[in-house]
Amino acid sequence: MTLKITPLSGTIGAEISGIDLRNLSNSEFDAVHRAFLDHAVLCFRDQDLTPDDQIAFARRWGEIHDHPYLNGLPDHPEIIEIVKEAGERNRFGAYWHTDQIFTPTPAMATMLYAKEVPPVGGDTMFASLTSAYDALSDGMKAMASRLRTFNLYDKQSPRSKRMAEKIPNRETAAEPATHPLVRIHPETKKPALYVNGMPTTTHFVGMTQDESQPLIRHFLKHATRPEFTCRIRWSPGTLGIWDNRCLLHMALDDYPDYRRVMHRITIKGDATIGIHDLEAAE
Ligand code: SIN
């Protein structure tokens, strides 16, 4: 088999064919890792993975991240099973976000393995925070590079309360975390507009919520412009992995009559570095 990389859009995303994730040589993994840095989100179709296979593939990317408040599968605690039953509204990830921005060391990558999917709908969308930063005016780039975001897993928010039944460890949710709005990717060194919507990114450090929110909304609207996005259409056996350091993602809630089951693993990340930290170090 020969590894083939097919872009998913003009900006981000690629489908990789010609490999079996259960038997990946070191050189194949290096090629996949290079593609991950180049395209930010990858998908692999028709993979036949047991939970142990998925965990073994995840470990090649780094240490598996224990979610602060979601429980994993009883026999495989590294894997969080995301289940939406037919007739239920999808509440997990159905808004633009980057994983665990509310912790000091947000997840580097997230991996989803599709177990059961609707015949149509239930795609995951991605938006490039690198393209979003690049498209800002010079004046806005200069202002954004001085801002830090304040991020909180708000246990009292209506969305969080609705999620309560899916969050058994909810009381141990993480403390607030601040991050540079312009985050430098630790591997590609590219700047990204690192922001989440409400309720997670509540305000900019040193500013009020009233002052911050119009700007946060502007950045989110800008970052999710269609030309900065791609989507994965899932089928059973598709594995997707994405780079939370430079992407937003969103689960689409457009399949009311069907069940969807995904196995999710997150990979540990580093403390965030801002564009100013990098300039100061040079
Ligand atoms: C997530 O936000 O991690 C879940 C995405 C999805 O279910 O498509």
Side-chain angles (χ1 to χ4, degrees):
M1 287 197 288
T2 315
L3 184 146
K4 186 167 167 231
I5 301 173
T6 309
L8 290 176
S9 80
T11 308
I12 46 166
E15 181 168 324
I16 302 211
S17 55
I19 54 172
D20 178 351
L21 296 180
R22 291 172 304 186
N23 300 301
L24 213 52
S25 67
N26 286 340
S27 64
E28 282 176 324
F29 182 76
D30 289 346
V32 168
H33 185 247
R34 185 67 253 161
F36 178 74
L37 295 180
D38 290 344
H39 298 278
V41 47
L42 302 178
C43 74
F44 308 83
R45 304 222 171 259
D46 303 319
Q47 300 294 321
D48 186 11
L49 304 180
T50 62
D52 285 330
D53 293 331
Q54 189 186 351
I55 292 167
F57 180 55
R59 288 213 168 106
R60 296 191 77 162
W61 296 86
E63 212 178 318
I64 293 180
H65 175 267
D66 289 330
H67 203 281
Y69 48 82
L70 294 181
N71 282 341
L73 291 174
D75 295 338
H76 297 92
E78 299 89 344
I79 297 179
I80 291 166
E81 189 169 62
I82 305 173
V83 183
K84 187 198 86 79
E85 300 293 348
E88 191 189 356
R89 296 304 307 271
N90 182 17
R91 293 164 188 161
F92 192 89
Y95 63 101
W96 285 112
H97 65 286
T98 174
D99 285 333
Q100 291 135 29
I101 194 171
F102 49 82
T103 68
T105 52
M108 181 274 271
T110 303
M111 178 184 288
L112 275 189
Y113 180 56
K115 302 287 291 176
E116 193 176 331
V117 295
V120 65
D123 298 357
T124 307
M125 292 205 62
F126 300 90
S128 168
L129 297 175
T130 312
S131 302
Y133 174 80
D134 288 345
L136 292 175
S137 65
D138 288 345
M140 193 57 113
K141 279 181 183 160
M143 190 185 78
S145 69
R146 290 193 297 274
L147 294 175
R148 284 188 77 81
T149 60
F150 185 93
N151 303 279
L152 180 68
Y153 180 78
D154 181 1
K155 289 182 267 186
Q156 301 311 321
S157 75
R159 186 175 62 83
S160 167
K161 284 182 176 163
R162 282 197 309 271
M163 286 278 292
E165 75 275 14
K166 295 203 170 176
I167 303 181
N169 300 331
R170 194 164 168 269
E171 291 317 311
T172 63
E175 293 301 308
T178 72
H179 297 290
L181 175 62
V182 181
R183 177 181 184 179
I184 297 297
H185 191 291
E187 294 184 84
T188 65
K189 309 294 179 212
K190 289 183 183 166
L193 193 64
Y194 190 62
V195 67
N196 254 34
M198 276 289 261
T200 319
T201 299
T202 55
H203 60 279
F204 295 113
V205 174
M207 291 169 63
T208 65
Q209 283 203 9
D210 277 355
E211 290 166 339
S212 309
Q213 276 303 319
L215 201 46
I216 291 172
R217 279 197 294 275
H218 169 76
F219 285 136
L220 265 183
K221 187 164 172 238
H222 168 76
T224 55
R225 275 165 44 179
E227 64 270 34
F228 302 152
T229 68
C230 77
R231 65 204 285 167
I232 293 183
R233 170 146 176 62
W234 303 98
S235 43
T238 302
L239 183 135
I241 179 166
W242 63 87
D243 191 337
N244 285 304
R245 301 167 294 187
C246 58
L247 288 182
L248 293 175
H249 62 280
M250 172 168 72
L252 292 184
D253 185 11
D254 60 351
Y255 55 105
D257 300 331
Y258 297 98
R259 191 168 194 260
R260 180 179 186 263
V261 182
M262 311 295 273
H263 279 186
R264 181 178 190 270
I265 298 181
T266 44
I267 314 294
K268 272 192 184 172
D270 309 311
T272 51
I273 302 167
I275 198 161
H276 274 188
D277 305 321
L278 198 69
E279 283 162 4
E282 278 168 4

